[in-house]
Amino acid sequence: MNEPKLIAGNANKPLANSIARRLTLHRGKMVKPVDARVERFNDQEIFVEVYENVRGEDMYILQPTSNPANDNLMELLIIADALKRSSAARITAVMPYFGYARQDRRAKARTPISAKLVANLISESGIDRVLTMDLHATQIQGFFDIPVDNLYAAPIFALDMLHQFKGRLDEVMVVSPDVGGVARARELAKRIGAPLSIVDKRREKAGEISEMTVIGDVRGKACIIVDDICDTAGTLCKAAEVLIEAGATEVHSYITHGVLSGPAVERISNSVMKSLVITDSIQPTDAVSACPNIRIVPTAPMFAQAILNTWNGTSVSSLFDMETLAPIYDGLYPAE
């Protein structure tokens, strides 16, 4: 029986290597990313060459489409084309972070739905299925004409919160930084048995917030802001300030995808937030890794298990439960 084979683009090689190590642990035999080169010509055209035989193999391309989004997207499509033309049996795009997901509808006249365009490109490139995590809008799964498995960071975050806030969970309040993220925050609050609050924000234009209001009583609470993407961190830091002004004793944030562009790291360093927890779905920059109040939780155990479940035809949705994930993360969050 053929083993699942992993191939990595340049977007997040440390995560690809971590997933390969987890697959080695599960399979009891050495698993390494397929030997290949993904390079650029002088005019920045992307060139891919796979050095191993992949005929009839079940291939998994590890490539988040993070910054630079266009380069990483083209790498994914060209790797997929190389594998398809090399007679791979099945190609799965493992995209821990799905770029262009924020452009999922026409909010104004004469604007694109870029998420749908990217879904079309992926479907037409020869990719047979997509494995991703915390899509900005879950309905993006419907943009694809191929199967899409959307994993959730919530059970990992819940395990982390139960460990970090052990003994004082009664002080914790989960906060959604906007009305649109209430469902995500409610799901996490339910997992740890905490109440829910909302910060209502109003924007005059993109990237600028004119007003914020706290809905709910946060006095004396340790507030945990939950969201899927943190880009420039303006909204996050402003929300933390508003919560402290409303009487919160401390503010922490759990964000799935740490895009953290521009002044984000500096803002977080100078913020009233005690900590920001992100996943490694996007490869952290040196500045992010060096920031003392940013902590990174690994996703490799979950993605490795999802790849194995896809390969052997078992349930991927079983990974939505904390009970299933706890043994996978055993040692990182030991049972007390």
Side-chain angles (χ1 to χ4, degrees):
M1 191 176 189
N2 288 347
E3 295 290 316
K5 284 198 173 181
L6 192 67
I7 186 169
N10 291 315
N12 197 341
K13 286 196 169 178
L15 178 57
N17 291 329
S18 295
I19 291 172
R21 283 196 297 272
R22 294 295 301 200
L23 289 172
T24 298
L25 182 67
H26 285 303
R27 300 301 299 153
K29 57 180 74 173
M30 180 58 68
V31 177
K32 290 183 178 178
V34 166
D35 189 16
R37 64 176 175 140
V38 183
E39 297 176 353
R40 280 165 176 71
F41 293 122
N42 291 333
D43 63 354
Q44 297 306 300
E45 283 185 11
I46 295 163
F47 174 74
V48 174
E49 184 177 5
V50 181
Y51 293 124
E52 296 181 26
N53 178 32
V54 296
R55 184 179 297 273
E57 299 285 359
D58 194 2
M59 300 299 303
Y60 295 83
I61 310 172
L62 192 287
Q63 181 78 341
T65 50
S66 49
N67 184 32
N70 299 332
D71 288 2
N72 289 333
L73 176 61
M74 282 306 298
E75 272 190 19
L76 172 67
L77 300 177
I78 292 170
I79 292 170
D81 188 69
L83 295 175
K84 183 182 178 184
R85 294 177 188 279
S86 302
S87 302
R90 184 174 69 167
I91 303 169
T92 301
V94 182
M95 304 171 68
Y97 173 70
F98 181 83
Y100 285 105
R102 285 174 282 183
Q103 300 178 44
D104 62 337
R105 65 192 186 283
R106 294 189 67 195
K108 297 179 182 176
R110 295 175 295 282
T111 56
I113 305 179
S114 305
K116 172 60 177 167
L117 174 62
V118 171
N120 288 346
L121 289 170
I122 290 171
S123 299
E124 292 298 321
S125 68
I127 289 169
D128 297 298
R129 65 189 308 125
V130 172
L131 177 63
T132 186
M133 183 172 68
D134 273 2
L135 282 170
H136 186 61
T138 53
Q139 65 265 25
I140 290 173
Q141 294 172 87
F143 292 177
F144 288 86
D145 293 324
I146 56 176
V148 177
D149 289 311
N150 183 34
L151 300 175
Y152 297 98
I156 306 174
F157 284 164
L159 287 170
D160 190 86
M161 288 175 192
L162 292 172
H163 183 67
Q164 297 294 328
F165 296 92
K166 188 185 176 187
R168 59 190 192 106
L169 281 170
D170 56 331
E171 302 172 18
V172 169
M173 175 171 274
V174 174
V175 179
S176 172
D178 54 42
V179 175
V182 170
R184 183 181 298 107
R186 186 192 295 122
E187 172 65 23
L188 190 47
K190 185 178 172 184
R191 287 177 186 271
I192 64 170
L196 178 67
S197 181
I198 304 166
V199 175
D200 180 36
K201 66 182 178 186
R202 297 181 186 178
R203 292 183 190 270
E204 293 297 326
K205 56 184 178 180
E208 292 185 13
I209 299 154
S210 60
E211 185 183 349
M212 276 190 164
T213 310
V214 178
I215 302 171
D217 186 4
V218 298
R219 285 174 295 180
K221 294 288 188 181
C223 289
I224 300 176
I225 301 172
V226 176
D227 209 354
D228 63 326
I229 296 173
C230 177
D231 193 344
T232 59
T235 301
L236 198 62
C237 294
K238 176 69 174 172
E241 289 173 17
V242 170
L243 289 166
I244 292 292
E245 288 168 7
T249 56
E250 59 188 78
V251 179
H252 304 263
S253 295
Y254 280 74
I255 311 291
T256 306
H257 307 297
V259 177
L260 302 179
S261 56
V265 175
E266 184 182 351
R267 282 175 174 170
I268 292 161
S269 298
N270 300 326
S271 168
V272 296
M273 270 190 305
K274 289 191 73 173
S275 70
L276 167 64
V277 180
I278 58 174
T279 73
D280 57 356
S281 62
I282 296 171
Q283 184 174 343
T285 61
D286 292 339
V288 170
S289 299
C291 185
N293 54 344
I294 297 179
R295 189 160 54 84
I296 301 166
V297 297
T299 57
M302 182 170 66
F303 275 109
Q305 190 63 52
I307 288 170
L308 285 173
N309 289 8
T310 302
W311 167 69
N312 61 29
T314 54
S315 171
V316 171
S317 61
S318 62
L319 298 175
F320 300 169
D321 297 325
M322 288 167 60
E323 291 78 10
T324 311
L325 275 185
I328 299 172
Y329 281 83
D330 193 23
L332 188 60
Y333 307 117
E336 301 288 350

